[in-house]
Amino acid sequence: MLKFVSIEKEMPEKRDADQRREDFKEIYGEYAMEKARQQAGRCSQCGVPYCQSHCPLHNNIPDWLKLTAEGRLQEAYEVSQATNTFPEICGRICPQDRLCEGNCVIEQSGHGTVTIGSVEKFITDTAWEEGWVKPIKPAEERAESVAIIGAGPGGLAAADRLRRAGLQVTVYDRYDRAGGLMVYGIPGFKLEKDVVMRRNAQLEEGGVKFVLNCNVGEDITFDELREQHDFVLIATGVYKSRDLPAPGVGAKGIVRAIDYLTASNRIGFGDTVAEFESGELNAEGKRVVVIGGGDTAMDCVRTAIRQGATSVKCLYRRDRANMPGSQREVQNAEEEGVEFVWLSAPKGFTGGDAVEGVMVQKMRLGAPDATGRQSPEVIEGADYVEDADLVIKALGFEPEDLPSLWNVPELEVTRWGTVKADFRTHETQIENVYAVGDIVRGASLVVWAIRDGREAADAILDKVMASATDVAAE
Ligand SMILES: Cc1cc2nc3c(=O)[nH]c(=O)nc-3n(C[C@H](O)[C@H](O)[C@H](O)COP(=O)(O)OP(=O)(O)OC[C@H]3O[C@@H](n4cnc5c(N)ncnc54)[C@H](O)[C@@H]3O)c2cc1C
Ligand code: SF4
């Protein structure tokens, strides 16, 4: 029997809320207001807002920058939240250098971008502190119900929009906390957890029901969800870690990035994590080698530094210019003491039961492949061993096989295993079943999941309204 689990227990305690307010004053205060206005005032209102077209949500950036520059923060917030469900989250963790800020005309002319993300974060944090963030209060209750599988940004953005329109929304998640990778993937030093919990509480107070610790496919079947609800939205993300078929990979001390980051985030919540206590998922006092060049690898190296590792190295088989992760993150990591070992790939691991080192093959970049990227080639005879007590594999994620796990063969997937959905409405081949976020796109970004969630919610609402109109016309 499934029980609705209240997430109230996860609301930041009052002490935390007070502390946050103190921090806010200290960090922001007059100076921060001045800084935000000054940054916003640098926007040239160029009239060709590439920043806006390169923001997945097409945020009306020039307008809210102008309002901020004029000190009209509440209006700036209203404009910003009109297109973004979680602006304070995107302001913190969007890779702005690849999105809005990277395309700022001032950046392109060599004068340094307007810090759009920081301003977005500032105005929304201010909105929370000033009480401008409105609770979710639907004008009318509607009978239609939606099951959302997955409480990550895709699922939560849809939940917000659907609930505001009065639909009955239940979010199912196999974790014990809502937030998806915003809670257990992304480290707290990039995205403070109470910022996510505050949004969870807002949704719950607005009438969204959360069924946590509920693994769809095990605790409840997909068919049962379809029977109990008018619509189902799949927002399960991608969690199957890519592995490394190299000799010695099964040794103690070689761990998956998701396990390492989840443990660290749980410790941040005050949970007891046996694998952390035992040292298995704790970098303190260890020589750490992280394998991979994406944002997950950056989060691992920066977490290891904070846990007190004696050294942290990041192995990547291409060079700096060709790494998939954000350049800003690399710079942050370097400033914190991480050493990047470019053009280096793991060939195997030394040690017995426990890892002692990574056998490294040196690489060079050869001819471009079909995608235009230069392929790494092995430099023969240049192998060496990088000493390590803890090796973290951050090689990316793939989707789980949902049609088999959920016994829904009619749920169509692509050859990569991602769920096939209409790119505009996000409806799958199964009527009234929608899919959004990473499970459709493959590992992507929070801001894209938010966009998908909003669009799918709109498509569901269009259907609801159309059938209501049909009924009225009969
Ligand atoms: C370490 C790391 C760092 C990242 N850093 C950034 C960053 O800085 N900026 C950025 O924009 N993006 C970042 N990303 C990517 C971003 O987190 C994802 O793109 C985004 O969270 C995807 O949202 P989603 O809603 O599709 O899925 P998720 O956030 O993955 O949420 C899916 C939810 O579904 C639940 N679920 C899965 N299967 C089931 C099931 N069978 N039954 C019930 N529940 C289920 C999961 O428990 C989870 O809560 C990062 C990703 C990782 C791994
Ligand atoms: S949502 Fe992300 S990309 Fe869009 S303006 Fe905000 S920080 Fe930039």
Side-chain angles (χ1 to χ4, degrees):
M1 177 71 180
L2 287 171
K3 275 197 281 173
F4 290 115
V5 180
S6 170
I7 54 174
E8 226 168 76
K9 65 180 168 68
E10 298 300 351
M11 262 299 281
E13 288 169 16
K14 186 162 182 309
R15 183 172 46 81
D16 293 341
D18 289 347
Q19 185 60 52
R20 198 180 58 226
R21 197 157 291 119
E22 282 307 305
D23 290 349
F24 182 82
K25 277 197 209 132
E26 193 183 317
I27 299 165
Y28 288 142
E30 294 277 301
Y31 170 73
M33 178 66 210
E34 214 28 63
K35 193 112 178 100
R37 287 185 69 169
Q38 183 207 346
Q39 271 300 321
R42 291 181 62 233
C43 173
S44 65
Q45 299 288 319
C46 59
V48 280
Y50 293 123
C51 57
Q52 185 169 1
S53 54
H54 285 83
C55 164
L57 294 162
H58 300 310
N59 281 343
N60 197 342
I61 301 163
D63 278 9
W64 49 254
L65 286 177
K66 186 166 188 288
L67 290 164
T68 305
E70 291 169 1
R72 295 157 66 185
L73 276 198
Q74 188 167 0
E75 290 162 85
Y77 162 71
E78 293 298 342
V79 176
S80 124
Q81 64 83 45
T83 49
N84 191 351
T85 315
F86 308 126
E88 73 282 25
I89 294 178
C90 292
R92 283 172 165 83
I93 52 145
C94 270
Q96 287 97 6
D97 54 343
R98 306 202 298 255
L99 301 171
C100 53
E101 294 180 10
N103 291 280
C104 166
V105 165
I106 298 182
E107 169 76 6
Q108 296 294 328
S109 65
H111 293 90
T113 180
V114 174
T115 56
I116 297 165
S118 301
V119 177
E120 188 178 29
K121 166 179 176 283
F122 174 73
I123 56 185
T124 318
D125 281 351
T126 306
W128 275 103
E129 294 308 317
E130 296 292 336
W132 303 332
V133 179
K134 295 184 192 74
I136 301 171
K137 278 195 188 148
E140 56 161 1
E141 290 294 339
R142 299 195 60 95
E144 298 86 358
S145 79
V146 186
I148 297 180
I149 313 173
L156 295 184
D160 178 277
R161 216 154 167 82
L162 291 164
R163 186 60 202 134
R164 283 180 197 274
L167 273 68
Q168 307 308 311
V169 179
T170 308
V171 181
Y172 299 81
D173 201 290
R174 63 185 172 194
Y175 280 147
D176 55 345
R177 294 182 171 96
L181 287 173
M182 298 190 296
V183 161
Y184 285 135
I186 302 171
F189 58 82
K190 274 170 63 183
L191 175 58
E192 308 92 302
K193 301 305 157 183
D194 61 326
V195 169
V196 183
M197 289 302 150
R198 182 169 64 181
R199 284 292 179 184
N200 291 344
Q202 183 199 28
L203 287 165
E204 190 174 42
E205 282 158 14
V208 173
K209 295 192 181 83
F210 285 89
V211 182
L212 301 176
N213 296 309
C214 174
N215 191 359
V216 173
E218 273 183 21
D219 300 312
I220 188 167
T221 67
F222 185 74
D223 285 342
E224 281 171 322
L225 287 183
R226 290 198 68 203
E227 279 159 28
Q228 290 171 21
H229 300 274
D230 301 302
F231 299 92
V232 176
L233 177 73
I234 304 170
T236 49
V238 288
Y239 283 86
K240 201 164 89 187
S241 301
R242 287 200 192 108
D243 212 347
L244 197 62
V249 73
K252 239 175 104 190
I254 304 177
V255 301
R256 300 186 313 169
I258 192 71
D259 297 334
Y260 174 68
L261 292 172
T262 304
S264 172
N265 276 314
R266 282 196 178 281
I267 294 297
F269 273 108
D271 296 353
T272 306
V273 180
E275 295 85 354
F276 185 85
E277 305 303 326
S278 72
E280 194 184 323
L281 296 175
N282 183 355
E284 189 180 358
K286 293 188 178 148
R287 296 163 302 176
V288 177
V289 172
V290 175
I291 302 171
D295 289 335
T296 303
M298 296 309 104
D299 288 345
C300 290
V301 291
R302 298 184 68 197
T303 300
I305 290 274
R306 282 162 177 76
Q307 287 179 348
T310 49
S311 68
V312 182
K313 295 188 181 181
C314 182
L315 289 192
Y316 182 55
R317 63 196 177 125
R318 291 189 164 92
D319 62 3
R320 185 187 195 114
N322 285 288
M323 72 179 297
S326 160
Q327 291 295 332
R328 193 180 283 180
E329 282 292 290
V330 177
Q331 196 186 333
N332 287 337
E334 275 179 336
E335 282 168 9
E336 289 167 7
V338 175
E339 186 186 326
F340 284 85
V341 190
W342 305 113
L343 294 163
S344 304
K347 185 180 179 184
F349 301 92
T350 61
D353 280 354
V355 70
E356 287 173 10
V358 184
M359 287 184 271
V360 180
Q361 274 181 326
K362 290 307 290 178
M363 317 293 282
R364 67 170 152 252
L365 292 180
D369 62 16
T371 65
R373 277 180 98 195
Q374 282 182 283
S375 313
E377 294 169 354
V378 175
I379 302 175
E380 296 299 341
D383 298 359
Y384 74 101
V385 173
E386 197 74 75
D387 293 336
D389 312 303
L390 176 63
V391 177
I392 304 172
K393 296 175 288 181
L395 300 156
F397 301 95
E398 286 168 0
E400 289 159 298
D401 181 2
L402 294 189
S404 304
L405 286 172
W406 291 355
N407 194 21
V408 205
E410 66 273 28
L411 183 67
E412 278 197 46
V413 294
T414 64
R415 66 193 161 105
W416 299 281
T418 48
V419 172
K420 268 193 191 172
D422 182 279
F423 77 94
R424 206 171 38 86
T425 64
H426 305 273
E427 192 167 10
T428 66
Q429 267 84 358
I430 308 175
E431 200 185 359
N432 294 340
V433 175
Y434 294 71
V436 298
D438 283 5
I439 191 59
V440 176
R441 295 177 175 274
S444 178
L445 294 173
V446 165
V447 65
W448 282 111
I450 294 174
R451 172 172 162 169
D452 288 356
R454 291 169 66 93
E455 285 180 349
D458 288 350
I460 292 172
L461 292 174
D462 283 349
K463 247 195 202 189
V464 166
M465 295 310 160
S467 77
T469 313
D470 288 348
V471 171
E474 276 167 14

